[in-house]
Amino acid sequence: MEVLKFGGTSLANATAISRVLDIVDAARGRGKVVLVCSAVSGCTDALIAMAALPPSEREKAGKALLDRHNCIVGRLFTGKERKDVCQVVLDTYRDLMEADPEDYQSFGELFSTRIIAAKLRCDGINALWLDSRDLIRIDGGAVDRQNSYKRIAKAVADHPEVEVFVVPGFIGSDSGGRVRTLGRGGSDQTASLFAAALRADDLQIWTDVPGIMTTNPKDVRSARTIPQISYDAAFMLAANGAKVLYAPAVEPAREAGLNIRILDTFHPGLPGTVVGPFPRRERGNWVGIAWKEYPDDSKLCLVADGPVDPSAVPELRSRLERANIIARSIETEGDDHIMVSLEHGDELEALRTCHYICFETDDSVDVYLAGEGKVGRALLDIIGRTDNRINVRLVARHEAEDEAFFREMFATASGKSVFVDCTDSETIYKWYVPVLEAGINVVSSNRRALSVPYAEFARMKRTARRMRRFLRYETTVGAALPILDSINMSANSADEILSIEAVVSCTLNYILTSGLPFAEALMKAQEIGLTEKDPSMDLGGKDAVRKLLILAREAGIPLEESDVVIEPVDGSQVQPGQRFVASIEKDSSAPKGYRAAIRLRAVSPDDPAWNVRGTDNMISIRSAFHPSPLIIQGAGEGARMAASSVLNDILR
Ligand code: ADP
Ligand code: ASP
Ligand code: MG
């Protein structure tokens, strides 16, 4: 059982709701789902405002909300279903207009969840709408947890056939049957209560940011996602103004021993934040900064994951003074957080200064990732698990050429930032030069981007040099094998490359060494995902040419595709003992001083290519200084390996 909660920003319109349904669909593949939803964005505010209007003006405000929901229904449904769901919305609207204005604010979640439950059912999913007002008991402003847990557990146990329970967040009722709310932002708490009551396997809070960040990214653009945070620190940030998580949502999860995962609806591949039982450190590091406005002042709260060094207070004071900000007071509270009281109006300047002091002087790297295919996903996974130095800022999924992605990167990146291209786009390379010119490093696993016409390639290299930024693409040939680096070493040391021979097509290598008949082996290679999307790319040597161009250019040879003699593989002529070899050989009579070819070649047992099996790659480099060749051989395929090579390019 997984509990997924989506906030209002994730439900702003029909497009956003469709995105939510995709995420729910993926969760459904793993088991039962409880789907907790907020009101669509802005709806609760509108309802509260409506209650404050003179009675004669309420109908107009109510109609506007009715229209907004009908518009969503119009986009999500057609035909008879559209009519039925419009009726449900109309009934909810009528209940609203008859309700006590004090209760208006409870209607946003009723609208949104009734529409979503209907949509799931319309898609053939066994979904059931549960009325949280009957399940969550709120007396004297506090949740009666034991009572609520019993009701929730029963409601779910009564319907073993249901796949997705759809639950309005935010609302409950008191023992007199009067509707009550959990307070603004309370849907997070609804989710936490359901997860605890049902001993869920996972509690996910989906929102419009990549997780709990070092501060609100709307206030400080360079805010970073916090990969892991303790319940205490998350509570402290939430209680002091970080509304990404509603503070009262922490306790039910902590008591039930559940982690809370904060995830980004708009970038579902990002690792997000895990709130869990992470121990305090002996000496605290800064975790995040929140702020909140009070009638008399604004208070920043700097939160650490252990005791704060006593020198932090005077240092903070003097740094703020240097920025012309006079704090009213700076005090350590408990031993793991500092409260800074400020005049109204000073808070943003102070926040930026404090954020800089706490988070922007370390050795971490911001990564902007394009492409969430196999390699991109593996990279996110590795980063999420292992490296706190890397902060993934933005991910473009398919829209590799998405202007907005690049514009936002230009606006937020620093000189240490890295743009990572894990797409297989033919055209994204056009961004490399502007990215480098913006002072951002580039790491690429996209071989199409590096095998563009030589003039374009040379321009990228020149720009990187001029801007003193790196452009690394080791992954494009032989995944994690250190091939390009080795060639580079020869080229940089005034050595002269005499020849390069490479067995770099995993597909063909697999086919040629599988021992199976050609057609059968090809099918198998396709099955296990070795081939390019279009296998003729492999057989025609197209993919091998790209690798060869990259190899040659790394050796300083300005090779173009038209310089390479390619003999495509004809399945009927394949002989045992052959390998598909890409080669460059020095030849002073050739136009560029080298001959390049890609062809099937018979190899003998003493040839280094003989031993290359399956998805291994092999490259042999002969140079003037090293007449006996340098041979690099090893696994040349696999998303995880490619991702680890990308990571190495980012960090080395
Ligand atoms: P939802 O509608 O999903 O419940 P909220 O608006 O309640 O979303 O919370 C998400 C917002 O919280 C973000 O858009 C962001 O502006 C704000 N926020 C404040 N502090 C932080 C923080 N430390 N990390 C991330 N987001 C924060
Ligand atoms: N809809 C409610 C609010 O806007 C509850 C929530 O979104 O969590 O506060
Ligand atoms: Mg919220």
Side-chain angles (χ1 to χ4, degrees), residues 5 7-9 207-209 211-213 215-218 242-244:
K5 177 260 168 177
T9 43
T207 183
D208 65 340
V209 283
I212 302 182
M213 306 179 74
T215 193
N216 188 342
K218 289 180 186 129
K243 75 166 183 155
V244 59

Side-chain angles (χ1 to χ4, degrees), residues 286-349:
W286 294 116
V287 177
I289 310 176
W291 73 274
K292 208 168 166 178
E293 204 169 330
Y294 295 88
D296 293 337
D297 64 352
S298 287
K299 283 197 171 70
L300 297 196
C301 175
L302 285 67
V303 178
D305 56 5
V308 174
D309 195 299
S311 67
V313 170
E315 191 195 332
L316 215 55
R317 186 185 309 281
S318 89
R319 294 287 287 267
L320 286 171
E321 277 172 12
R322 263 186 279 159
N324 277 330
I325 300 158
I326 309 296
R328 285 195 186 173
S329 65
I330 305 182
E331 283 159 8
T332 323
E333 273 188 8
D335 63 355
D336 57 7
H337 60 285
I338 291 180
M339 301 297 287
V340 182
S341 160
L342 298 152
E343 300 283 336
H344 289 303
D346 278 352
E347 57 278 325
L348 281 186
E349 234 1 79

Side-chain angles (χ1 to χ4, degrees), residues 5-9 37-45 48 105 108-109 169-171 183-190 243 246:
K5 177 260 168 177
F6 291 87
T9 43
C37 295
S38 295
V40 301
S41 70
C43 181
T44 309
D45 288 338
I48 291 171
Q105 58 173 315
E109 275 72 7
F170 185 49
I171 54 177
R184 297 305 306 271
S187 298
D188 297 345
Q189 191 181 357
T190 307
K243 75 166 183 155
Y246 187 48

